[in-house]
Amino acid sequence: MQKQRSINFFLRNLIVLVLGLIMVYPLAWMVMSSFKDTKLIFTTAGSLWPETFVIDNYINGWKGFGKVGFDVFFKNSLFISIVATIGTIMSSATVAFGLSRCNFPGRRILFSAMLVSMMLPAQVLMIPQYLWYNQLNWVGSYLPLTVPYFFAIQGFFIYLIKNFIDGIPRDLDEAAKIDGCSFYGIFGRVILPLTVPSLITTGIFSFMWRWDDFLSALLYVNDSAKYPVSLALKLFCDPGSSSDYGAMFAMSTISILPAMLIFIFLQKYLVEGISTSGLK
Amino acid sequence: MKSISSFINREKSAGIIFCSPFIIGFFIFMIVPMLLSLYYSFCDYNILSPPVWAGLKNYAKMINDTRFYKAIGVTFYFALVSVPLRLIFALLVAMLLLKTSKLTAMYRAMYYLPSIIGGSVAVSILWKRIFAVDGVLNSILGIFGLNRGFSWLGDTRTAIWTLIILAVWQFGSSMLIFLSSLKQIPASMYEASGIDGAGKIRQFFSVTLPLLTPTIFFNLVMQMINGFLAFTQCYIITQGKPMDSTLFYTVYMHEQSFSFFNTGYGAALAWVMLGIIGLITLVLFATKRLWVYEGGL
Amino acid sequence: MKKSMAVITAVLMLLMSACSGGGGSSPSPAATQPAAQETSQASTESSAGASLIVSWWGNQTRNERTQAALDLYTEQNPGIEIDGQFSEWSDYWNKLATAAAGKSLPDVLQMDYAYLEQYVSNGLLLDLTPYIENGTLDVSNVSESVLDSGRVGDGIYAITIGINGPSMFYNKTLLEENDITIKDNMTLDEFIDKCREIYEKTGYKTALPYNVDLNFTEALLRGVGVQLYEENKLGGAEENYEIYYGLLKMGLDEGWHISPGVLAERAFGSVEQSSLVYGSSPENMSWCAMHFSNQLTAMQNAAPEGVEIGITTWPTADPKLSSYLKPSQFFSVSADTSNPEEAVKVVDYWTNSVECNEILLAERGIPASSVVADAITPLLAETEQLVSVYINEVVSPNCSPINPPMPEKASEVMASYKAIEERLAYGETDVVSAAQEFYAEGNRILGGN
């Protein structure tokens, strides 16, 4: 019996480990390639380990483009992602509470609208949104990349937080009501503190999605000094002229660091925050 | 003063006030552009000049457009294959990682990492390198003597699978969602069924799976929608080649709108896709009653 | 409770005002520019305090040099501010199109032959003729034919900022090692013989520009006196389109052409992944590649150690008829610009300033002005000198005028061509049917359906 258990344990760990390594291989390849001479990357694609480690790609890549170095691009990405994330958390939590705890006419319609907003391809909205933002004179600034997020336009997060709130027993609401709390009070004093795990989850996902988004930046950010990293990376790959893949891989490696770090340190919140006990 | 405060404190008003950010945002940032785009779908529009009303011309064009049907076919195939695969892997690995050990955190990171970086340009280029004729996959097959110099990206039967594998590779996010749900199943449930004599496999099917159905449903809906809207990877890796065998609908839409300047037609295509996704979501919600356990814990 | 709502609102308002103040607190040198742009939009005065947006596509090298050249201009012209915006090729056109829709095109924009006609016919570009006539834009050192390439209808809408010519790059080292010689201005038949010879002797295959674009096909057509695009239809007759398709099929059947599967996985247009310089065995590699002359440097850089890349003409039935000088890129001015005078002056600077071109060093191609070209030739690197020699001594004396700019539906026609080419390569159709099908499709698309 004991032997059976330990064989199971061993097997299970082996499968998990091997599969895990396969999962991670492409990434490892990219990181390793960033340390290879850029001309050799594709010719030595089969071997993971570089023959000689060079950091030229990092130096070249960091220089960036024109007069703008990657430090500026990173600062830009951080600014955009953080601001948009704050907006997302604040607004999504508010709306989630409303949908979860309040009964009002049009609630179902709103919920459906929320689902619809998740089903829209970005291309549908691309040109009309551009024209609209142009009218508002927002093109050329970070406004289109940040302001909308203060209005809970990403249904996914509303859905996520709402489910979490659904799982919080209503007795707490009742108790607060008896104590004379208004809805606003319940939200601020009772529910909000309890939803912190899901808020953190929202924050993490939102940050990562904003970090990777290049389509909006492409349309609305004109000044190359304001480019976020996601857009800057594309500049490395211009077909028809020399593409510096080494530098691109190097900068890509650096650009996934924030997401990785966030994930590694905030892992347990991620799992806690996705409470689905109230999924109906 | 008193009537205002009693007004905003009523459940109905409070609800609307809480949801107001979304209501406002939806109107300003979504409805207006959506209606504009709907208008374009009924116009001859090439972006560079103002749109000209053309009635149902674009929609009629769609009916005879073979590439349109091809794109729908490819996209459906992609979604209907990659999504279930993703969910299955996500669930299986979540189950394997359930028993927390010191290494669990590391494993979770390993499986989740692909999802974090999956959307990037670098990964797409990477993917091409893996499936190239002289690429990594063939090299590894060569170790086992199985290298035939097969062109995975150049063959119409396998090209789409490179994209499917890329999508499934990023199952980490679904896995996390399953993990958290699994953790919420009280041990008492398992104990109870264990007492009744159920073995591990039986437990899985009669306890775990039913209780997981709400999560599976959520994941299914989300992933399906994302599957139909997939764009970046296809755009960078295959652009629809070879012979449109990997022509994702959104890529086709993009090509029509921006490369061919048939933007009115592109808008019409977008609305048709929206309709299709809407229909599928409705169907999924309708079947909910049949297989999703609503009892809660 | 109300207090925290107030705090939240206050924070929101703070953030929003910070955002609208020009993009937030990111410490960028261009922080003052959005404000400058606004005032220049409103003002119409052209001298003191004009702010221009100049846009282009390109890679790091081009970006650095262009930015430096623009900086030099602003130094020499105080009061003018230039905001340089760049992106990568495909993003560039997406963005430009959207900007056109929103009537916010850059003042000076890099333009390509493939899109020129479209932008002109939709009224988006400024006719430069008046500025040429009044001397603001000095084109006295630009040859007539080069100037004409920017002509659409009666006006000149674009000025060439780099000349190149169709070039076949080839693996000089490989040929020398095997005592194979080729000469400039080869005919198509001579070319086919070489492909067979090289395959037999060395095992290296050939890569025609499979699934890339219609440039080579267009040249083959020119070689038999046919113009690809005519008014609302394809030029020539069905049989003409069998030339390229037939060549491809022959190569595949006889075995000297690389398999389409291999080519399918290469990044579109990427020099590093061209089978001339990259591949694991001769089976996957080509001894030649059809490109344009300004890509020689990139190709040579991408070539493995010890491989020298040679440059010669595209093989067609009649090289003199098919060869041409092509503007690799243009600068155009937006029709809606609020500073036309200043914008044109930048274009003039680009064309005529030797200092400017000493910075650019022919990265986009040979400068349009012969005076400038002569001045910078001694400064060019070895490969660029080769290009210069090629253009001046091989192409120029033996070429014909370039075809008119591509019509609006050109990209759709190209997509159709490539799709049929693919089916031919995969054996799903034959040469005659392929040509028939393309001829019908092309005419249908150009005819306005």
Side-chain angles (χ1 to χ4, degrees):
Chain A
M1 193 52 205
Q2 190 63 10
K3 222 187 194 172
Q4 189 65 22
R5 266 220 198 114
S6 48
I7 292 181
N8 276 342
F9 180 74
F10 178 70
L11 262 170
R12 176 181 270 178
N13 265 281
L14 188 67
I15 297 177
V16 170
L17 185 62
V18 169
L19 193 58
L21 286 174
I22 297 180
M23 295 285 285
V24 162
Y25 182 82
L27 273 169
W29 188 88
M30 184 179 86
V31 175
M32 286 297 127
S33 295
S34 69
F35 290 107
K36 290 184 187 171
D37 186 309
T38 192
K39 284 199 245 173
L40 295 176
I41 292 181
F42 289 117
T43 50
T44 57
S47 59
L48 190 59
W49 207 258
E51 233 179 70
T52 31
F53 270 82
V54 291
I55 53 166
D56 293 349
N57 294 324
Y58 284 88
I59 302 178
N60 287 335
W62 195 254
K63 276 197 277 183
F65 303 91
K67 303 177 284 196
V68 189
F70 256 83
D71 50 332
V72 175
F73 296 137
F74 272 98
K75 274 186 216 143
N76 295 339
S77 278
L78 268 174
F79 177 77
I80 300 173
S81 307
I82 292 180
V83 172
T85 299
I86 293 178
T88 303
I89 296 180
M90 280 172 25
S91 54
S92 303
T94 319
V95 177
F97 178 77
L99 281 177
S100 171
R101 290 302 204 239
C102 304
N103 209 341
F104 58 92
R107 183 164 166 245
R108 281 191 168 262
I109 301 179
L110 211 60
F111 189 72
S112 317
M114 194 188 83
L115 283 178
V116 168
S117 75
M118 292 193 269
M119 299 193 281
L120 289 171
Q123 285 82 358
V124 172
L125 301 177
M126 208 165 135
I127 299 173
Q129 254 181 2
Y130 179 86
L131 294 176
W132 181 222
Y133 287 135
N134 206 25
Q135 289 274 40
L136 296 174
N137 254 324
W138 284 10
V139 177
S141 71
Y142 283 152
L143 290 174
L145 281 75
T146 49
V147 172
Y149 296 97
F150 284 86
F151 290 89
I153 54 161
Q154 294 197 290
F156 177 75
F157 296 121
I158 304 180
Y159 202 9
L160 195 73
I161 304 179
K162 171 180 178 298
N163 281 315
F164 199 84
I165 299 181
D166 284 345
I168 298 177
R170 294 213 173 215
D171 325 332
L172 295 172
D173 290 42
E174 296 303 329
K177 240 187 240 169
I178 291 173
D179 282 348
C181 248
S182 65
F183 275 105
Y184 309 94
I186 299 178
F187 177 59
R189 299 225 185 96
V190 181
I191 300 290
L192 209 52
L194 288 174
T195 54
V196 167
S198 73
L199 294 184
I200 296 185
T201 310
T202 302
I204 296 174
F205 275 118
S206 166
F207 182 86
M208 295 201 282
W209 290 1
R210 291 305 96 230
W211 187 268
D212 282 338
D213 175 28
F214 76 88
L215 263 178
S216 344
L218 174 65
L219 287 180
Y220 303 118
V221 180
N222 289 327
D223 185 359
S224 50
K226 293 207 206 142
Y227 277 5
V229 172
S230 49
L231 190 55
L233 285 176
K234 291 203 86 201
L235 290 173
F236 277 114
C237 307
D238 191 67
S241 40
S242 290
S243 304
D244 192 347
Y245 288 106
M248 195 194 70
F249 286 146
M251 292 303 106
S252 298
T253 305
I254 299 188
S255 87
I256 56 172
L257 278 179
M260 264 178 62
L261 287 172
I262 291 182
F263 180 72
I264 291 177
F265 287 116
L266 298 178
Q267 241 195 81
K268 66 181 180 112
Y269 290 108
L270 255 183
V271 176
E272 269 174 41
I274 312 174
S275 162
T276 50
S277 52
L279 260 180
K280 288 239 168 73
Chain B
M1 200 50 218
K2 196 150 187 222
S3 53
I4 295 181
S5 79
S6 69
F7 175 70
I8 62 172
N9 278 316
R10 267 195 294 192
E11 185 167 347
K12 292 199 182 133
S13 340
I16 296 186
I17 293 181
F18 273 106
C19 293
S20 57
F22 179 72
I23 301 176
I24 300 175
F26 191 67
F27 261 93
I28 303 181
F29 301 110
M30 294 219 165
I31 291 273
V32 172
M34 270 171 78
L35 289 174
L36 248 178
S37 142
L38 186 60
Y39 170 63
Y40 291 153
S41 74
F42 292 108
C43 293
D44 259 336
Y45 186 38
N46 70 355
I47 306 187
L48 305 178
S49 280
V52 173
W53 183 262
L56 291 172
K57 182 170 161 197
N58 290 321
Y59 291 97
K61 184 173 168 183
M62 229 184 279
I63 300 183
N64 292 324
D65 184 359
T66 36
R67 289 185 86 203
F68 164 68
Y69 294 109
K70 182 80 186 174
I72 292 207
V74 170
T75 312
F76 261 80
Y77 183 74
F78 172 74
L80 293 175
V81 172
S82 64
V83 173
L85 275 177
R86 257 181 97 136
L87 292 182
I88 294 175
F89 268 99
L91 187 52
L92 284 178
V93 178
M95 300 264 332
L96 281 174
L97 290 184
L98 208 44
K99 286 211 177 74
T100 330
S101 66
K102 291 213 181 85
L103 296 174
T104 310
M106 182 191 82
Y107 287 136
R108 276 206 297 230
M110 281 167 100
Y111 286 101
Y112 190 64
L113 226 43
S115 329
I116 304 182
I117 61 133
S120 67
V121 175
V123 169
S124 299
I125 294 181
L126 188 52
W127 222 247
K128 275 182 119 159
R129 280 288 85 231
I130 294 180
F131 290 99
V133 177
D134 49 355
V136 183
L137 179 59
N138 278 342
S139 308
I140 295 181
L141 286 176
I143 299 178
F144 299 101
L146 291 169
N147 188 2
R148 296 279 176 272
F150 191 73
S151 172
W152 306 97
L153 287 168
D155 188 301
T156 49
R157 294 160 301 173
T158 53
I160 182 84
W161 279 90
T162 61
L163 293 175
I164 292 178
I165 294 177
L166 180 56
V168 175
W169 180 58
Q170 294 168 47
F171 69 76
S173 43
S174 306
M175 178 194 81
L176 279 184
I177 297 182
F178 276 133
L179 250 181
S180 64
S181 303
L182 283 171
K183 280 188 193 273
Q184 279 157 34
I185 300 179
S188 50
M189 291 273 184
Y190 290 111
E191 281 164 20
S193 65
I195 291 173
D196 284 347
K200 278 254 154 76
I201 298 187
R202 183 86 193 293
Q203 270 181 356
F204 178 75
F205 280 104
S206 48
V207 178
T208 322
L209 213 48
L211 286 174
L212 269 185
T213 46
T215 317
I216 299 182
F217 180 77
F218 175 71
N219 261 333
L220 188 62
V221 173
M222 290 290 118
Q223 301 296 340
M224 267 302 168
I225 297 178
N226 285 333
F228 281 106
L229 295 181
F231 176 74
T232 315
Q233 288 86 335
C234 174
Y235 186 57
I236 299 182
I237 301 180
T238 63
Q239 300 102 34
K241 294 187 285 196
M243 300 215 274
D244 285 351
S245 61
T246 58
L247 186 66
F248 280 17
Y249 195 86
T250 46
V251 172
Y252 184 53
M253 233 168 63
H254 188 268
E255 189 185 61
Q256 288 290 338
S257 302
F258 287 98
S259 305
F260 299 168
F261 293 93
N262 290 334
T263 319
Y265 188 53
L269 286 172
W271 276 90
V272 169
M273 176 45 89
L274 184 56
I276 294 179
I277 296 182
L279 220 71
I280 295 183
T281 314
L282 267 173
V283 167
L284 280 175
F285 267 93
T287 63
K288 206 175 167 210
R289 223 166 301 155
L290 297 171
W291 60 281
V292 178
Y293 177 64
E294 300 261 350
L297 295 162
Chain C
M1 189 52 232
K2 293 220 170 92
K3 221 194 251 176
S4 41
M5 283 293 255
V7 168
I8 295 176
T9 327
V11 169
L12 250 175
M13 292 179 71
L14 258 171
L15 275 167
M16 289 188 73
S17 57
C19 284
S20 51
S25 56
S26 54
S28 68
T32 52
Q33 248 143 27
Q37 262 168 253
E38 242 119 278
T39 43
S40 82
Q41 235 72 318
S43 78
T44 44
E45 59 181 22
S46 50
S47 44
S51 178
L52 300 173
I53 305 180
V54 179
S55 72
W56 67 93
W57 69 84
N59 61 351
Q60 248 173 325
T61 316
R62 181 177 303 167
N63 293 336
E64 272 166 27
R65 295 189 189 175
T66 310
Q67 197 65 62
L70 288 173
D71 287 343
L72 183 61
Y73 185 79
T74 46
E75 256 177 58
Q76 295 178 342
N77 294 278
I80 307 289
E81 265 182 60
I82 298 195
D83 178 12
Q85 298 175 3
F86 51 86
S87 5
E88 170 257 324
W89 169 266
S90 46
D91 290 342
Y92 183 80
W93 296 104
N94 279 0
K95 203 170 150 152
L96 208 65
T98 339
K103 297 232 167 284
S104 51
L105 280 174
D107 300 284
V108 179
L109 50 146
Q110 191 167 300
M111 180 49 59
D112 187 273
Y113 210 57
Y115 290 91
L116 182 60
E117 157 94 30
Q118 237 163 332
Y119 275 74
V120 173
S121 61
N122 282 286
L124 297 165
L125 300 179
L126 189 65
D127 185 354
L128 300 169
T129 326
Y131 298 90
I132 296 178
E133 285 169 1
N134 76 17
T136 319
L137 183 53
D138 173 15
V139 292
S140 48
N141 292 313
V142 180
S143 77
E144 196 62 35
S145 56
V146 170
L147 193 61
D148 270 346
S149 55
R151 189 184 295 278
V152 181
D154 290 326
I156 303 237
Y157 291 91
I159 298 294
T160 306
I161 55 178
I163 303 178
N164 59 21
S167 336
M168 183 174 84
F169 297 150
Y170 62 94
N171 191 334
K172 202 159 176 198
T173 317
L174 178 73
L175 297 188
E176 281 171 1
E177 281 171 3
N178 289 279
D179 280 328
I180 304 177
T181 50
I182 57 169
K183 58 180 182 32
D184 290 332
N185 294 313
M186 260 195 290
T187 63
L188 193 56
D189 290 324
E190 289 169 339
F191 172 71
I192 297 175
D193 284 334
K194 287 296 163 190
C195 292
R196 291 182 182 136
E197 188 186 343
I198 293 173
Y199 182 51
E200 244 183 74
K201 282 194 188 167
T202 68
Y204 275 76
K205 295 198 177 184
T206 306
L208 291 171
Y210 169 74
N211 236 240
V212 175
D213 53 37
L214 273 165
N215 287 326
F216 186 57
T217 305
E218 190 182 24
L220 289 171
L221 289 171
R222 282 167 62 97
V224 293
V226 170
Q227 187 176 297
L228 175 59
Y229 293 111
E230 290 183 357
E231 191 80 31
N232 292 331
K233 66 184 191 71
L234 287 175
E238 269 174 27
E239 302 82 63
N240 299 129
Y241 296 92
E242 290 177 21
I243 303 179
Y244 174 76
Y245 282 147
L247 183 63
L248 178 65
K249 191 81 168 77
M250 186 195 309
L252 287 171
D253 287 342
E254 293 183 12
W256 49 261
H257 194 280
I258 293 188
S259 94
V262 171
L263 295 175
E265 65 196 27
R266 300 295 165 84
F268 172 72
S270 158
V271 159
E272 286 78 15
Q273 294 185 29
S274 164
S275 45
L276 175 60
V277 296
Y278 168 68
S280 52
S281 66
E283 281 265 302
N284 299 335
M285 291 188 71
S286 167
W287 68 277
C288 67
M290 310 296 171
H291 282 272
F292 282 87
S293 57
N294 64 341
Q295 290 169 307
L296 180 62
T297 312
M299 190 60 89
Q300 183 66 69
N301 283 342
E305 211 54 45
V307 172
E308 196 190 332
I309 305 290
I311 181 172
T312 184
T313 51
W314 284 357
T316 68
D318 185 339
K320 184 168 165 76
L321 277 184
S322 59
S323 207
Y324 56 93
L325 289 175
K326 180 176 191 281
S328 59
Q329 287 120 51
F330 299 100
F331 260 157
S332 291
V333 177
S334 154
D336 283 332
T337 174
S338 31
N339 289 301
E341 186 83 21
E342 290 305 321
V344 175
K345 279 198 197 150
V346 175
V347 180
D348 175 72
Y349 163 76
W350 219 261
T351 311
N352 294 308
S353 158
V354 175
E355 290 167 307
C356 169
N357 283 283
E358 280 174 352
I359 297 176
L360 297 175
L361 283 182
E363 186 271 331
R364 289 179 167 84
I366 312 288
S369 153
S370 52
V371 167
V372 172
D374 286 337
I376 63 165
T377 310
L379 300 170
L380 298 176
E382 199 183 309
T383 40
E384 276 146 9
Q385 297 227 9
L386 266 175
V387 173
S388 188
V389 165
Y390 173 73
I391 293 286
N392 292 327
E393 295 174 20
V394 178
V395 181
S396 272
N398 199 40
C399 66
S400 313
I402 189 173
N403 284 355
M406 299 187 221
E408 196 168 319
K409 293 286 176 186
S411 16
E412 218 175 318
V413 172
M414 184 164 78
S416 162
Y417 189 77
K418 284 157 70 168
I420 298 174
E421 185 185 18
E422 238 186 338
R423 301 213 332 267
L424 178 69
Y426 280 83
E428 297 200 1
T429 182
D430 61 275
V431 176
V432 176
S433 317
Q436 274 174 352
E437 198 185 324
F438 174 65
Y439 194 68
E441 257 306 283
N443 277 314
R444 186 190 63 83
I445 296 172
L446 292 169
N449 289 332

